[in-house]
């Protein structure tokens, strides 16, 4: 009897340990809470850290050049237009690649610079390279694209999809509700965010 109780307790401890390890590895950036810290190097060799953006609005966008959903928003110029529109309003924007080496979407720095140029990237810096996945996992980035907005105090105010239509067809963009644009318009007007989170859609991040 005692042996069986001990055995069951051991199994429970193993399951709990696995659960908490998994939860820690994919801790989410949650609206209303402090954004996970990060320090990464971009394709041009410059260090990009969360602390560098203190006092500014910051958008984080996860990217994979081979993902049909990324192609939807870049091929239509939807993403570049958003980057350009809000950069003009002082919003900073980082586009992040968390694909591991050997996985779809992984790019060496030189290749990433070429992709940024070919995609007419209007982000604040060259593509941020997160090949070990540490930044993506800290934010709980699950798809490309996956979007986060961080306020000047370093708190997450939006996490989720770019819009409300999970089709890969770019024709739907015109009639989709763009959550990121709506949230940025609201916060820049001093209003609370109406939709602070949504289910991200797209290709899985290739950790």
């Amino acid at each position: 009897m005692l042996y069986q109780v001990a055995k069951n307790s051991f199994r429970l401890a193993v399951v709990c340990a696995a659960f908490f390890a998994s939860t820690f590895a994919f801790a989410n950036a949650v609206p209303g809470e402090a954004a996970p810290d990060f320090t990464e190097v971009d394709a041009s060799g410059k260090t990009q850290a969360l602390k560098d953006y203190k006092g500014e609005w910051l958008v984080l966008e996860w990217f994979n050049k081979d993902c049909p959903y990324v192609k939807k928003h870049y091929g239509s110029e939807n993403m570049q237009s958003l980057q350009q529109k809000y950069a003009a309003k002082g919003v900073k924007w980082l586009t992040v690649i968390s694909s591991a080496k050997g996985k779809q979407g992984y790019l060496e720095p030189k290749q990433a610079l070429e992709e940024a140029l070919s995609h007419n990237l209007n982000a604040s810096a060259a593509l941020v390279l997160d090949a070990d996945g540490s930044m993506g996992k800290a934010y709980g980035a699950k798809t490309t694209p996956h979007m986060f907005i961080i306020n000047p105090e370093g708190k997450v105010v939006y996490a989720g999809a770019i819009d409300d239509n999970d089709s890969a067809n770019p024709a739907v963009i015109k009639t989709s509700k763009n959550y990121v644009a709506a949230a940025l318009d609201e916060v820049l007007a001093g209003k609370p965010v109406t939709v602070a989170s949504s289910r991200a859609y797209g290709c899985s991040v290739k950790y």
Side-chain angles (χ1 to χ4, degrees):
M1 180 69 177
L2 287 175
Y3 170 76
Q4 189 61 40
V5 170
K7 189 175 179 181
N8 289 340
S9 296
F10 175 75
R11 284 176 175 170
L12 179 62
V14 170
V15 169
C16 288
F19 172 78
F20 285 116
S22 175
T23 301
F24 177 77
F26 284 88
N28 287 329
V30 179
E33 297 187 4
D37 196 17
F38 65 83
T39 301
E40 302 290 344
V41 176
D42 68 30
S44 67
K46 294 180 180 177
T47 298
Q48 300 291 336
L50 178 63
K51 64 182 181 182
D52 298 335
Y53 294 93
K54 186 177 181 180
E56 300 182 287
W57 288 97
L58 175 64
V59 175
L60 300 179
E61 167 215 342
W62 262 259
F63 175 92
N64 175 347
K65 70 179 180 62
D66 297 317
C67 171
Y69 296 92
V70 171
K71 292 179 179 179
K72 166 190 174 184
H73 291 289
Y74 273 92
S76 62
E77 297 281 329
N78 183 45
M79 193 68 82
Q80 298 96 321
S81 296
L82 283 176
Q83 294 164 349
Q84 188 173 37
K85 176 181 178 180
Y86 291 103
K89 297 183 178 185
V91 176
K92 302 301 182 185
W93 190 299
L94 296 178
T95 303
V96 185
I97 300 175
S98 291
S99 296
K101 190 169 187 176
K103 299 285 186 69
Q104 182 196 66
Y106 172 83
L107 295 172
E108 295 288 345
K110 183 175 181 293
Q111 296 172 312
L113 288 174
E114 293 169 352
E115 287 298 328
L117 187 63
S118 69
H119 281 76
N120 192 26
L121 195 73
N122 287 313
S124 302
L127 289 160
V128 175
L129 304 179
D130 174 41
D132 68 0
S134 57
M135 181 178 175
K137 291 175 183 175
Y139 276 78
K142 296 177 176 60
T143 63
T144 51
H146 197 156
M147 313 295 295
F148 300 87
I149 302 174
I150 300 169
N151 73 11
E153 291 74 44
K155 289 187 176 181
V156 177
V157 298
Y158 176 78
I162 184 173
D163 61 29
D164 67 348
N165 196 320
D166 63 3
S167 167
N169 185 350
V172 304
I173 291 175
K174 290 182 180 178
T175 56
S176 303
K177 177 178 175 55
N178 193 303
Y179 291 134
V180 174
L184 286 171
D185 287 342
E186 288 175 330
V187 297
L188 293 176
K191 300 177 181 178
V193 177
T194 302
V195 179
S197 65
S198 64
R199 181 183 63 82
Y201 70 85
C203 308
S204 61
V205 177
K206 305 300 186 288
Y207 292 115

